[in-house]
Amino acid sequence: DTEVTQTPKHLVMGMTNKKSLKCEQHMGHRAMYWYKQKAKKPPELMFVYSYEKLSINESVPSRFSPECPNSSLLNLHLHALQPEDSALYLCASSQEGPYEQYFGPGTRLTVT
Amino acid sequence: QKEVEQDPGPLSVPEGAIVSLNCTYSNSAFQYFMWYRQYSRKGPELLMYTYSSGNKEDGRFTAQVDKSSKYISLFIRDSQPSDSATYLCATSTIPNAGGTSYGKLTFGQGTILTVHP
């Protein structure tokens, strides 16, 4: 099974709200990723977790806070977002190394 | 210049046509290559993964890599309307000694494909 699940599918939040995006995989992958994708653009890497430790932070603003509670779960906590943060947020996982990444269906976030 | 160049299209073909999608890259450190299909408002779906020059076939899909020319292709035979999507090529490097280069895919811009009945 190569499934990565994400909840919620859609999220609308105001600029003062706090919300969280969730991601889960059961493939035994030890690397998990958050990407942001704007319309008609490729995904942009935000964070990489390897063995539940933050490995890469692509200079993402602190209003995005990732968390990896265990090897199967990945959260992205959102606070005080801006309208320009509206996008499709994708989670992915892979074996550690330069291997293929499997993406979830994404959470479509709208910031009002 | 982008590290991975991909013609964004759009590309429109009749059902049953052979589709050729292409990317070029500039960084010789790219050694791993992927093709993803992304339907509108969905996450990318992995179609092909390869790390060697030559061809790799999976059903109607063939991935071709030419490392000497830094050129990668995806061929779709007997294209179907259900193949209408955006196709993204992606590359990855060999991990460096610090182990931080893994996990960083470099994507092309994506090619929008429409297969009409």
Side-chain angles (χ1 to χ4, degrees):
Chain A
D1 185 11
T2 56
E3 188 178 30
V4 177
T5 58
Q6 290 186 246
T7 56
K9 289 183 181 175
H10 303 275
L11 179 62
V12 179
M13 61 185 290
M15 288 190 283
T16 59
N17 291 158
K18 285 185 182 181
K19 295 286 185 184
S20 297
L21 309 184
K22 296 186 185 301
C23 172
E24 189 167 5
Q25 59 90 12
H26 294 289
M27 294 178 277
H29 291 167
R30 301 313 297 265
M32 296 185 74
Y33 314 81
W34 281 115
Y35 287 85
K36 173 183 176 179
Q37 187 177 27
K38 300 284 261 185
K40 299 191 187 304
K41 297 289 186 184
E44 295 176 39
L45 183 66
M46 300 174 72
F47 303 104
V48 181
Y49 271 84
S50 173
Y51 289 88
E52 297 143 55
K53 287 186 169 47
L54 185 62
S55 174
I56 296 176
N57 177 339
E58 290 288 284
S59 303
V60 178
S62 60
R63 57 186 185 267
F64 295 92
S65 176
E67 178 196 19
C68 190
N70 61 54
S71 60
S72 301
L73 293 173
L74 189 65
N75 298 323
L76 186 63
H77 303 298
L78 314 172
H79 174 54
L81 295 192
Q82 304 297 309
E84 58 264 29
D85 295 322
S86 299
L88 181 67
Y89 286 85
L90 295 161
C91 174
S93 72
S94 75
Q95 299 177 48
E96 188 181 6
Y99 299 110
E100 64 272 37
Q101 295 181 20
Y102 294 90
F103 285 83
T107 293
R108 185 155 299 279
L109 174 67
T110 303
V111 182
T112 60
Chain B
Q1 183 188 5
K2 294 187 176 70
E3 286 191 288
V4 179
E5 298 275 2
Q6 183 177 7
D7 186 341
L11 183 61
S12 181
V13 301
E15 184 175 354
I18 296 174
V19 175
S20 173
L21 304 166
N22 308 295
C23 291
T24 59
Y25 62 94
S26 55
N27 188 346
S28 297
F30 291 145
Q31 296 289 319
Y32 303 86
F33 307 95
M34 285 142 271
W35 283 96
Y36 289 90
R37 175 175 64 193
Q38 187 171 23
Y39 292 114
S40 180
R41 306 175 80 85
K42 302 288 186 184
E45 172 192 4
L46 179 69
L47 288 177
M48 302 289 278
Y49 168 74
T50 184
Y51 50 84
S52 55
S53 283
N55 292 352
K56 181 176 181 179
E57 190 173 316
D58 184 0
R60 296 186 295 114
F61 299 92
T62 299
Q64 189 174 79
V65 175
D66 182 346
K67 290 186 179 181
S68 62
S69 302
K70 298 188 179 66
Y71 194 84
I72 57 177
S73 300
L74 179 71
F75 299 97
I76 307 174
R77 289 184 298 281
D78 187 25
S79 56
Q80 303 295 309
S82 58
D83 294 327
S84 299
T86 297
Y87 289 79
L88 293 153
C89 63
T91 68
S92 183
T93 59
I94 297 172
N96 61 21
T100 58
S101 68
Y102 69 84
K104 294 193 70 169
L105 296 185
T106 301
F107 286 92
Q109 286 299 105
T111 299
I112 299 171
L113 170 68
T114 300
V115 180
H116 51 88

